[in-house]
Amino acid sequence: MLDCPRCHQPVDTQAIACPHCCTLLKAHGHPGITLYRATGQDSLCSTCTYHDDDTCNFPQRPFAKECTLYHNRAQPFLAHISTKPRDSLRLWAQRNGGWLFLMGLVLVSLAIALSNR
């Protein structure tokens, strides 16, 4: 078991947040999340977007040599997101699937009600 970096209580290695103090543990290493490592003497923080906008909560900041939240400020954030209308429509439909199902159910109910008149 690992210890929480904030409250130092034991935390399961698969936990995303500390069950004792609710600290997010993503920056502290988690299975399945990429761990970035600094090369040379420079820290990752010197080129990280999260350090620049002051949203990083990693305890080793500004001297972190390893981090999972690292994002190089020279790289665009949205490089992996498609701008094609078809893809954005598909993503919208996935996010709003429940509402689409409910609207479909209402339309079918209205069609049945109007056909019985």
Side-chain angles (χ1 to χ4, degrees), residues 16-83:
I16 294 175
C18 175
H20 307 285
C21 67
C22 299
T23 299
L24 291 177
L25 301 172
K26 287 171 72 177
H28 309 286
H30 186 273
I33 298 176
T34 305
L35 179 65
Y36 296 94
R37 290 195 166 108
T39 56
Q41 297 297 332
D42 291 338
S43 70
L44 290 173
C45 299
S46 62
T47 59
C48 184
T49 303
Y50 300 113
H51 178 70
D52 286 346
D53 66 10
D54 204 31
T55 58
C56 180
N57 63 356
F58 195 44
Q60 281 76 21
R61 180 181 172 214
F63 307 110
K65 295 287 187 178
E66 297 179 335
C67 185
T68 56
L69 294 178
Y70 175 76
H71 182 268
N72 189 339
R73 64 178 166 227
Q75 300 293 324
F77 255 114
L78 304 176
H80 64 281
I81 296 178
S82 174
T83 57

Side-chain angles (χ1 to χ4, degrees), residues 1-13 15 17-23 25:
M1 279 199 148
L2 299 173
D3 287 342
C4 174
R6 180 179 285 167
C7 68
H8 304 290
Q9 296 293 322
V11 178
D12 182 21
T13 56
C18 175
H20 307 285
C21 67
C22 299
T23 299
L25 301 172

Side-chain angles (χ1 to χ4, degrees), residues 89-101:
L89 182 61
R90 182 180 50 82
L91 288 172
W92 181 87
Q94 286 177 347
R95 280 180 272 171
N96 296 294
W99 289 110
L100 289 173
F101 176 76

Side-chain angles (χ1 to χ4, degrees), residues 98-117:
W99 289 110
L100 289 173
F101 176 76
L102 186 61
M103 290 301 295
L105 195 60
V106 167
L107 289 174
V108 168
S109 298
L110 282 174
I112 292 171
L114 291 175
S115 67
N116 288 336
R117 280 188 158 193

